[in-house]
Amino acid sequence: MKHVSLGGLDVSRIGLGAMTMAGIYTGGGGLDDAESIRTIHRALDLGVTHIDTAEIYGPFHSEEIVGRAIKGRRDQVVVATKFGLVSHSGGGPGVTDSSAANVRAAVEGSLQRLGTDHIDLYYQHRVDPDTPIEETVGALAGLVAEGKVLHIGLSEAAPATIRRAHAVHPLAALQTEYSLWTRDPEDELLPLLRELGVGFVPYSPLGHGFLTGQIRTPDDIPDDDWRKTNPRFTGENFQRNLRVVDEVQAIAAEADATPAQIALAWLLTRGDDIAPIPGTRRVARVEENTAADTVELTADQVDRLNNLTPAAGERHDETNMAAIDR
């Protein structure tokens, strides 16, 4: 597996997102913790070094699974987790809180669940409109000084917030949605990150599964799955977005690869400071995703993918879009 640098932090250029190990897509049903742990072990065996989780996933369950899986293999793993969507002063899960006190409370819980004495990459999960970013990053800088955190990052932060945060303490990475159907970061974020020397971690690099080609009608999505109400998975947008998938599938056939591998291989052409984290809880999927590291796209194929029309519809519903710093 090739490696890249995220602001000085060395990681495999394909990582593993552990969100679905907490049942995020299906409301928690059908979880198989043993399979999740096997998936993490298989990822490590295949050369993945970058495992991404968050306290809100579950809440807490994903971190616990990652902690169990990396026991005895901690030195092989760059552990990334996130805080800020669980208030530890009484608000609980789903309450945004990046106050200094909450940062300090959150990190202790994450360290315990992950079974480690340090977190390699610690992100603010969403920008807290009620806490100045300088206060949050100041608290993170304190954790770095104590050795509890090695590198810090932000998730879904706007350019102005990134600049303010980076001025307090260097950021290693920004995590934001980026894929063939979400191209927004190319306009302002990527140029800014490269100016500052900050790495980029795309989440949902497979468009919440849409780019795998496995979802051809809304009926392919379980009724308790949040994608049922996602604007890109409903109505006319769904049909329009199949055109993106059709082109990805055509190129996959040419390259003797799967659509998921093509979508990931395209992201890997976007720079040596980009490290996507496709999420799965299945061994077969992690084997498929990591194999994208060896897919070589032709210049013509890259050009065709570059010129695809991005997805129709907002990438989240109104409530979730309102939580994104813009």
Side-chain angles (χ1 to χ4, degrees):
M1 173 78 71
K2 299 181 184 71
H3 282 221
V4 298
S5 174
L6 299 175
L9 176 62
D10 180 85
V11 297
S12 57
R13 66 174 182 165
I14 297 176
L16 172 62
M19 182 183 75
T20 61
M21 295 177 187
I24 297 300
Y25 280 102
T26 59
L31 288 183
D32 183 341
D33 293 348
E35 175 73 1
S36 292
I37 290 171
R38 285 192 293 270
T39 298
I40 294 173
H41 288 167
R42 183 62 177 142
L44 298 179
D45 292 342
L46 290 169
V48 172
T49 67
H50 182 197
I51 309 293
D52 182 274
T53 182
E55 64 173 357
I56 191 62
Y57 299 158
F60 312 127
H61 189 68
S62 176
E63 285 187 329
E64 291 167 354
I65 293 297
V66 172
R68 288 164 57 189
I70 67 175
K71 188 175 182 179
R73 304 182 72 169
R74 178 65 180 90
D75 60 350
Q76 294 179 250
V77 187
V78 171
V79 176
T81 192
K82 311 176 204 71
F83 68 90
L85 293 182
V86 178
S87 173
H88 295 275
S89 61
V95 176
T96 302
D97 187 351
S98 286
S99 64
N102 202 60
V103 172
R104 288 190 289 269
V107 75
E108 297 302 333
S110 290
L111 288 169
Q112 182 177 18
R113 288 184 290 274
L114 292 165
T116 185
D117 63 355
H118 70 279
I119 294 165
D120 297 290
L121 178 54
Y122 201 36
Y123 293 97
Q124 180 190 44
H125 206 153
R126 289 291 185 273
V127 174
D128 179 359
D130 297 322
T131 304
I133 193 66
E134 290 81 3
E135 176 184 333
T136 302
V137 177
L140 291 171
L143 296 178
V144 172
E146 295 170 28
K148 294 180 178 180
V149 169
L150 302 188
H151 300 268
I152 69 171
L154 304 180
S155 178
E156 292 285 10
T161 303
I162 294 167
R163 284 191 183 278
R164 288 168 55 197
H166 194 70
V168 176
H169 187 281
L171 302 174
L174 174 77
Q175 184 173 141
T176 292
E177 185 174 354
Y178 181 40
S179 70
L180 277 168
W181 82 341
T182 301
R183 303 284 294 273
D184 317 45
E186 295 171 358
D187 296 334
E188 291 185 76
L189 285 178
L190 275 171
L192 172 63
L193 298 180
R194 285 167 177 159
E195 173 193 333
L196 299 176
V198 179
F200 188 47
V201 176
Y203 75 81
S204 296
L206 302 178
H208 304 294
F210 204 99
L211 294 172
T212 66
Q214 299 299 307
I215 301 172
R216 298 298 302 185
T217 76
D219 292 337
D220 293 330
I221 306 170
D223 288 339
D224 61 350
D225 191 309
W226 69 268
R227 289 173 292 184
K228 276 288 193 186
T229 59
N230 182 282
R232 294 186 176 180
F233 287 81
T234 56
E236 293 182 1
N237 288 340
F238 188 101
Q239 298 306 318
R240 289 194 190 100
N241 293 335
L242 285 176
R243 297 177 210 160
V244 178
V245 179
D246 290 343
E247 181 65 9
V248 173
Q249 287 182 309
I251 292 174
E254 295 172 9
D256 193 23
T258 68
Q261 290 166 349
I262 295 302
L264 290 169
W266 173 80
L267 268 176
L268 299 179
T269 70
R270 308 304 287 171
D272 58 7
D273 51 359
I274 292 177
I277 47 169
T280 186
R281 54 185 179 185
R282 307 292 180 204
V283 170
R285 294 285 78 78
V286 87
E287 291 174 341
E288 176 185 0
N289 292 341
T290 54
D293 183 55
T294 63
V295 173
E296 296 288 342
L297 298 171
T298 67
D300 174 68
Q301 289 167 343
V302 171
D303 189 56
R304 284 155 60 192
L305 292 168
N306 284 344
N307 288 304
L308 282 176
T309 301
E314 288 276 18
R315 57 193 178 96
H316 295 296
D317 60 24
E318 288 185 16
T319 300
N320 284 299
M321 285 303 294
I324 292 175
D325 184 40
R326 288 181 286 176

